[in-house]
Amino acid sequence: MGVLDRMRLDGKAIYVTGGAQGLGKAMATGLAEAGADIAIVDINGDKAQATAEEIAKATGQKVISVATDVTDPDAVENMVSTVVDQLGGLDAAFNNAGMCLNIPAEEMSYKDWLKVVNLNLNSVFLCSTAAGRYMLKQGHGSIINTASMSAHIVNRPQPQCSYNATKNGVIQLSKSLAIEWAKRGVRVNTMSPGYMGTDLTLSSPDLKPLIKTWNDWAPLGRLGKPEELQGMAVYLAGDTSSFSTGDDYLVDGAFTAW
């Protein structure tokens, strides 16, 4: 069996949080194109269902939707059970849901700080441990957590201290889980995208004016495309990455290299 065959995800069951749109939707699409059955997990149930139907039609894979508030421990446990019941198992978990608030630190309320921490970091803990408990019992599994190049740098010119802090926390949490579970068959890695041209970024009245500045500073002179992350997602979810755990994969067009 050649490497291209081993890259296939046929027969694997994978969930993607924040999968209804943006990077999550792109990752779910790429994983389904590689042969996996997918659960679109999102707090917006209607949008998750529409995305599931769209990906299923395009790929021929089984794709379900699970409306879930990933900051709610009970909801997360129920989500994992639902995915296992409806897809017949859980081979990989892609914990991607997140948000960013561009508020100067001295103006940020504690409520806004907690909002970002709960979604970007606490939900990753809840989802990773819920998926991990199932995977540890079966003796195998891959967990992929979306971090960011913002875990490695302080972005400019926009202020986003809560985002940067939580994404750094995602990397250290994932490394810690990877060490705890390394000899028990469960791998945990992070993917750290750079500036990506999602529909939200390209249409946001707050972010759109910053794109030229980001591009001027970028070695490649442009934003990344969401589909340019799909190859890394497929690699980490599958068996070809069997020696990869506790690693952070920067996909940022060399933005953090200088």
Side-chain angles (χ1 to χ4, degrees):
M1 181 182 292
V3 66
L4 293 181
D5 296 313
R6 297 198 304 274
M7 287 288 288
R8 293 287 305 174
L9 301 176
D10 302 288
K12 293 189 181 296
I14 305 174
Y15 76 67
V16 181
T17 69
Q21 61 183 348
L23 296 185
K25 180 179 179 180
M27 298 307 98
T29 300
L31 295 167
E33 289 173 345
D37 293 330
I38 303 295
I40 303 296
V41 178
D42 203 281
I43 196 168
N44 188 326
D46 291 339
K47 186 173 287 189
Q49 179 60 29
T51 297
E53 292 174 359
E54 178 184 339
I55 296 175
K57 182 177 180 180
T59 64
Q61 294 301 123
K62 183 175 183 180
V63 186
I64 64 170
S65 65
V66 187
T68 307
D69 177 356
V70 291
T71 68
D72 181 329
D74 292 335
V76 169
E77 292 290 343
N78 181 68
M79 178 271 289
V80 171
S81 296
T82 299
V83 172
V84 171
D85 290 343
Q86 294 193 24
L87 295 186
L90 180 62
D91 300 288
F94 205 124
N95 300 314
N96 167 78
M99 67 180 299
C100 183
L101 295 179
N102 299 124
I103 304 173
E106 72 275 16
E107 298 175 12
M108 177 172 284
S109 69
Y110 188 53
K111 180 179 180 180
D112 282 338
W113 168 268
L114 285 180
K115 187 184 300 183
V116 177
V117 171
N118 281 333
L119 184 57
N120 289 11
L121 183 57
N122 292 345
S123 78
V124 173
F125 169 76
L126 293 175
C127 291
S128 294
T129 52
R133 282 188 285 272
Y134 177 83
M135 292 174 176
L136 288 167
K137 289 179 182 178
Q138 69 182 5
H140 67 86
S142 174
I143 297 173
I144 309 153
N145 295 324
T146 299
S148 172
M149 72 171 184
S150 302
H152 302 271
I153 62 170
V154 176
N155 301 68
R156 57 185 180 135
Q158 73 279 13
Q160 50 182 61
C161 67
S162 56
Y163 184 85
N164 299 348
T166 55
K167 290 304 184 179
N168 189 275
V170 166
I171 291 177
Q172 194 66 0
L173 169 63
S174 300
K175 287 179 179 291
S176 299
L177 297 178
I179 295 301
E180 290 190 32
W181 299 341
K183 294 183 179 180
R184 301 167 68 186
V186 179
R187 298 182 294 109
V188 187
N189 293 288
T190 52
M191 183 193 300
S192 287
Y195 289 120
M196 306 302 295
T198 63
D199 291 340
L200 178 61
T201 297
L202 296 176
S203 62
S204 168
D206 295 324
L207 299 180
K208 196 173 180 180
L210 301 178
I211 292 176
K212 183 182 184 303
T213 299
W214 297 339
N215 288 346
D216 288 343
W217 288 334
L220 292 182
R222 65 174 178 86
L223 303 182
K225 301 174 183 177
E227 57 267 28
E228 291 178 305
L229 297 173
Q230 291 173 329
M232 184 60 71
V234 170
Y235 168 73
L236 291 174
D239 299 333
T240 51
S241 59
S242 55
F243 197 58
S244 296
T245 194
D247 297 318
D248 177 54
Y249 291 83
L250 271 163
V251 188
D252 68 344
F255 196 96
T256 58
W258 62 10

